[in-house]
Structures are given as structure tokens and as C-alpha cells.
Amino acid sequence: MFLTTSALKTRFETNLARSNRVEIATAWATEGAALDLLCKAADVRGVDVRAIVGTYGNATHPEALERLCKIGTLRLAKDNGPIFHPKIYIFHGSAESCAWIGSANFTGAGFARNEEAVHETDDVAGAAEWFARRWRACGRLAPDAIDKYRERRRSQGVLRGLTGVVGRANQGTKKRLALLRSADGWKGYVAALEACNESWLDEGYRWSVLGETHSYVHTIAEAGSVARSERWIGLLAQRAAMLLGLRDDREGAWGLLGSLGAAGTAKQVFLHSREPDHRRVLRRLRRSVDRVIKAGDDEIVDVAVEMLEDLCRTGGGIGRFRSRCGNAIAGAGASGQACVG
């Protein structure tokens, strides 16, 4: 039987209904209708589930792994060899069995949006033998394997180009805002940020709120340390670029807090800081920022607002400096340091 995308969900449900055991080998797994059907079959009828899932490019959703682990036995394909890229589904029944071999990953997009082709056959011997070998080769899932994968995914992000293949998250801006607004206390807010961060990654953004690189936290920490330097005169070009938001490459997403790329006066002041007029401007700015650096937890917000107002009164495009250095300083101040830590 030859199946295309439009028939996959219905046929998957039909095959599940007559199966007592299902084995899946897929390059990626995400939330979606197929996973919902599989979980229902396992919970309601006790269908035995074994799944081997790949994590190349961090495109697999950690939540999908958690659900597969909860309803059955999960193993992750090893990352130190060729890319794990099969899409095989074996439906074992007491009366009859069948296997799917084709292009559809166990993802929302694979069962609904991508153009897929799957061959269904009742000759399962070859697929079952292959699955058994790969199952043994993967080894048992370590207790912390999913947590480690989730952390790796947060720090590295999802490989660009894969989000369209596996499907984007359906979280959306409104749901993220609701999640943040409903947070109870600081710990709840941090937990909500982490949940939002997962959805941003799933939607294919290169940047995130959290994460070791290309994140707001990373940008604030890096630019904040530069902004807290005692002297801004004679800064290396790279460090000045951090404050100006002029770099957005593999070293960091410095533009996340805003860019001064179009503010010619501000750029000249920082990139040519030794000129007499520029030195005077930088000294004044540094004195203003120093108040925030020295402020205590109970006054840092008010002092930061006063500093931004002072910066806005400075002409020649320097006022837009608040978009960069002001935010970095506020984030790296006494209370901000606690946030980052």
C-alpha cells in the first residue's frame, strides 16, 4: 500500500487499533496528532511502545521524548556516528502485522504538512530484524539523558532549516505572554521563561532569552561587563561594538538590546574615543552610568530610570545609547546580577 501525507494520520490510527506492540525508529520526534494517538493507545489499551529517536540538529522536542518515555521504552540514537535518519514504523498485532517504510518522521509536520511518501507492507521480518539490531546498539536510556539533551538544545538552539522539516511550535506570542503573566513569584517567572525559551527555539529563532550564546542573558552579561569597565576611552573595537550592538555573528547576538548602527554620532564617539570632544562625552556618560553600578537593590530601578533620562538629554544621537548600554547596565546591576545568576 502506498500512502501520502493526507492518509497518514487515519491509517496510523487504524494500524494502532489492531496492534498490541508498536516499534518506531525516527530521525526526529515532536508533539503532534500522531504522538497523541500513540499515547492514547498506550494509556487506554496498554499497547507496548518502543521508540528509537534521533536528536541531530536538536530538532527533536524534549517534551515528545518525555511523553514517549512515559508511555513506553525510549532509546536515543548515538550522536557520534552517521546521522540517524530512518523513518520506520512496525505495527505488531496478534492476527496481523505491518510495517511502514518511507519519509515521514514522527513529527507534527511529517503527519500533516510536509509532502511525504510511505510504503506499507505486511512483510515485517526485515524491518523487525533491523530494528532489533539498532535497539541493542543504542543501549538503555540514561536517567538524565533527556535533561541533558534539553540543556544542550537550550544552549545550542535548533539547527537552522530543520524547523520547517519537523514543524514549528504552536505556542505563539499570546500564549507565551499569558504564561509569563500567570507566573507566581520569581521562581515561577524563571520557570515560565524557560518554557517560553523552548517555544522560541522550536519556532526557529536564532536567539533566545536564556542560553549560553545568542541570548538576552548572554548579551546582558557580556555587554554589561564591558559597560562596567572603569574607562570607555580606548576600548578595543570588539568591546565597543558590543555596546553599540554592531556584532551579530557566531560570537554573540549583540544587537538583541538594540543597534546603534544608524546612529553615526554615537558610533564615532565610541569607535574614535580618543578625540577630545569624544573623550568629554564618554566621561560624562560613564559618570552617569556609574550611579547605577553603585546602586543597591532597593534603589537600582529608580537610579536606572534617572540615568536613562539623563542619556536621552544628550544630543547627536547619543540618546539612543540607552537602547544598548543602559539596558546592559541595568541588567548587570545589583539586582540584575541576581537575575542572570
Side-chain angles (χ1 to χ4, degrees):
M1 182 182 297
F2 182 75
L3 303 171
T4 56
T5 308
S6 61
L8 292 182
K9 178 185 173 183
T10 300
R11 189 62 183 172
F12 185 75
E13 189 171 13
T14 299
N15 288 339
L16 279 179
R18 62 189 185 191
S19 301
N20 51 43
R21 179 162 56 95
V22 176
E23 295 171 326
I24 298 173
T26 180
W28 300 291
T30 73
E31 300 279 4
L35 180 56
D36 292 340
L37 290 171
L38 185 64
C39 289
K40 182 179 180 180
D43 291 338
V44 175
R45 296 194 299 106
V47 172
D48 180 35
V49 176
R50 295 200 300 173
I52 306 172
V53 179
T55 59
Y56 172 75
N58 301 326
T60 287
H61 292 194
E63 289 76 12
L65 296 180
E66 294 279 8
R67 293 181 70 185
L68 286 169
C69 194
K70 183 177 180 181
I71 65 169
T73 307
L74 171 69
R75 294 189 176 181
L76 298 181
K78 299 184 184 301
D79 290 329
N80 56 355
I83 297 173
F84 187 74
H85 208 243
K87 295 90 177 172
I88 294 177
Y89 304 79
I90 309 172
F91 304 91
H92 298 274
S94 55
E96 55 183 323
S97 301
C98 68
W100 282 8
I101 302 171
S103 66
N105 283 294
F106 197 55
T107 64
F111 274 69
R113 294 186 295 278
N114 297 343
E115 184 173 354
E116 308 287 2
V118 172
H119 175 63
E120 179 176 311
T121 175
D122 57 5
D123 183 5
V124 304
E129 181 182 348
W130 176 89
F131 185 91
R133 289 200 307 271
R134 294 301 291 121
W135 184 260
R136 291 191 296 270
C138 289
R140 293 186 178 183
L141 188 73
D144 61 348
I146 297 177
D147 288 337
K148 284 185 176 180
Y149 170 65
R150 178 180 283 107
E151 185 57 38
R152 184 186 89 189
R153 194 169 183 266
R154 285 174 181 165
S155 63
Q156 296 179 353
V158 178
L159 187 66
R160 297 182 72 181
L162 287 185
T163 51
V165 175
V166 303
R168 297 180 183 274
N170 194 29
Q171 188 79 2
T173 301
K174 291 183 178 179
K175 290 185 177 181
R176 282 193 288 265
L177 285 174
L179 186 64
L180 292 170
R181 286 168 178 159
S182 64
D184 183 17
W186 177 247
K187 289 185 178 179
Y189 186 74
V190 172
L193 268 182
E194 291 176 345
C196 289
N197 205 58
E198 292 286 347
S199 74
W200 275 307
L201 289 174
D202 292 339
E203 290 178 24
Y205 290 102
R206 287 187 66 231
W207 53 267
S208 64
V209 174
L210 310 173
E212 295 180 6
T213 62
H214 292 86
S215 71
Y216 277 97
V217 168
H218 175 243
T219 302
I220 287 172
E222 292 286 314
S225 66
V226 176
R228 293 165 70 93
S229 303
E230 291 186 8
R231 287 174 52 84
W232 288 349
I233 298 169
L235 284 176
L236 294 176
Q238 179 183 355
R239 293 170 69 81
M242 287 184 187
L243 298 184
L244 295 169
L246 302 183
R247 300 178 68 88
D248 186 13
D249 52 23
R250 60 185 179 182
E251 295 186 39
W254 313 127
L256 282 177
L257 299 180
S259 173
L260 287 174
T265 302
K267 286 175 60 178
Q268 291 302 312
V269 166
F270 276 89
L271 297 179
H272 303 281
S273 61
R274 297 190 184 278
E275 296 182 14
D277 290 344
H278 295 173
R279 293 166 71 99
R280 284 192 291 272
V281 172
L282 286 176
R283 287 194 183 102
R284 181 195 166 195
L285 292 174
R286 187 60 185 76
R287 284 195 300 270
S288 181
V289 166
D290 196 52
R291 295 181 56 212
V292 181
I293 295 174
K294 296 178 179 178
D297 289 352
D298 58 340
E299 58 178 348
I300 188 169
V301 174
D302 291 335
V303 172
V305 170
E306 292 174 3
M307 179 204 69
L308 294 178
E309 291 175 345
D310 183 43
L311 294 179
C312 288
R313 287 191 291 269
T314 305
I318 295 296
R320 275 181 280 173
F321 181 68
R322 67 188 185 279
S323 300
R324 291 289 315 159
C325 191
N327 288 338
I329 284 294
S335 60
Q337 288 286 33
C339 300
V340 175

